[in-house]
Amino acid sequence: MDLVQVFSNSGDLAGNNRRLHFCPQCGQRLHQKTLAKFERQRCDRCAFVHYLNPHPGITIIIRSREGKVLIGRRSERSRYGGRWCLPGGYIEYEESFIDTAHREVAEETGLKIRIDGIVNVVSNHLDDLHHTLVVVLTGQQSGGILRPGDDLTALRWIDGEQHKEIGYAFEADRSIVDCYFAGNIKILPIDPGAEQRLA
Ligand SMILES: [Zn+2]
């Protein structure tokens, strides 16, 4: 049960489904150009480059006092609907990853949390449209009332035995929960000031 940092599904990961036809700055048709060994689209008129980057997000192992982990079932209308995942989501431009953790946990679970630290960072190439860079945190409930929300339709606390039976949406989630129940995670503390600034 070693920590794993890179996950890649088979299939095309060239970003072809994220390409644009026209410059978002000036409307000119974009052209392919090789930049730092990658094919990117560039505007000949205004020099705009359409870079392709992963989308940063967070996910979090919320631990109960008994050492259980909170997971949620994804709604049928979401990708991998009906499967289970750790709470989490994409970081909005105005947020720190810590802000995102508090917001996503509140939206998806109804809980307030204390974040204890970082346990992993993951490159997750899901498919040609979805490449995420995920900071995996851990924390514990500090308030709130458990209630599924946003894209989650159910929540459950699982122990190490129940974990083995779960159909996870993301291999990265299964992997880090494996490590947690195997007692094989270390916690990199976060700046306590970052938590206080939110208060
Ligand atoms: Zn342009």
Side-chain angles (χ1 to χ4, degrees):
M1 300 295 174
D2 293 326
L3 277 186
V4 181
Q5 271 98 31
V6 179
F7 296 84
S8 183
N9 289 359
S10 59
D12 183 21
L13 297 174
N16 289 325
N17 290 315
R18 288 203 169 275
R19 296 198 192 284
L20 301 176
H21 295 293
F22 297 99
C23 176
Q25 291 192 160
C26 77
Q28 182 90 343
R29 184 170 277 281
L30 296 171
H31 291 105
Q32 292 283 104
K33 194 169 172 67
T34 303
L35 294 164
K37 90 177 183 181
F38 301 107
E39 284 279 300
R40 294 290 178 258
Q41 293 161 294
R42 186 176 183 279
C43 176
D44 292 338
R45 185 193 284 167
C46 76
F48 167 82
V49 177
H50 179 47
Y51 289 105
L52 294 174
N53 304 107
H55 288 168
I58 67 93
T59 194
I60 183 160
I61 297 174
I62 303 173
R63 299 152 12 242
S64 73
R65 283 201 191 88
E66 305 79 32
K68 292 184 175 181
V69 168
L70 186 64
I71 59 171
R73 192 175 63 203
R74 302 169 66 82
S75 75
E76 293 299 335
R77 66 187 159 84
S78 66
R79 268 191 315 140
Y80 313 111
R83 291 181 163 266
W84 296 80
C85 65
L86 295 170
Y90 289 115
I91 300 169
E92 296 291 341
Y93 196 82
E94 297 87 343
E95 293 178 318
S96 73
F97 67 93
I98 296 163
D99 297 332
T100 307
H102 286 286
R103 177 179 56 76
E104 289 285 354
V105 168
E107 287 173 4
E108 295 187 342
T109 74
L111 299 186
K112 292 181 179 169
I113 50 165
R114 186 194 72 232
I115 298 173
D116 298 319
I118 298 165
V119 293
N120 206 6
V121 178
V122 172
S123 277
N124 203 355
H125 299 257
L126 293 168
D127 56 47
D128 194 49
L129 270 175
H130 300 94
H131 171 191
T132 59
L133 177 73
V134 185
V135 180
V136 187
L137 302 163
T138 188
Q140 296 175 66
Q141 179 177 359
S142 63
I145 296 167
L146 199 65
R147 169 188 47 78
D150 202 9
D151 276 346
L152 299 183
T153 56
L155 295 167
R156 64 181 282 210
W157 294 100
I158 56 166
D159 61 24
E161 282 306 305
Q162 292 161 331
H163 160 65
K164 294 173 187 166
E165 309 298 323
I166 299 297
Y168 284 94
F170 306 109
E171 190 51 34
D173 284 3
R174 169 183 298 286
S175 172
I176 191 70
V177 179
D178 271 346
C179 286
Y180 168 71
F181 282 123
N184 193 23
I185 61 170
K186 296 192 181 82
I187 300 179
L188 174 69
I190 58 168
D191 162 18
E195 286 275 74
Q196 286 158 12
R197 282 193 289 276
L198 292 164

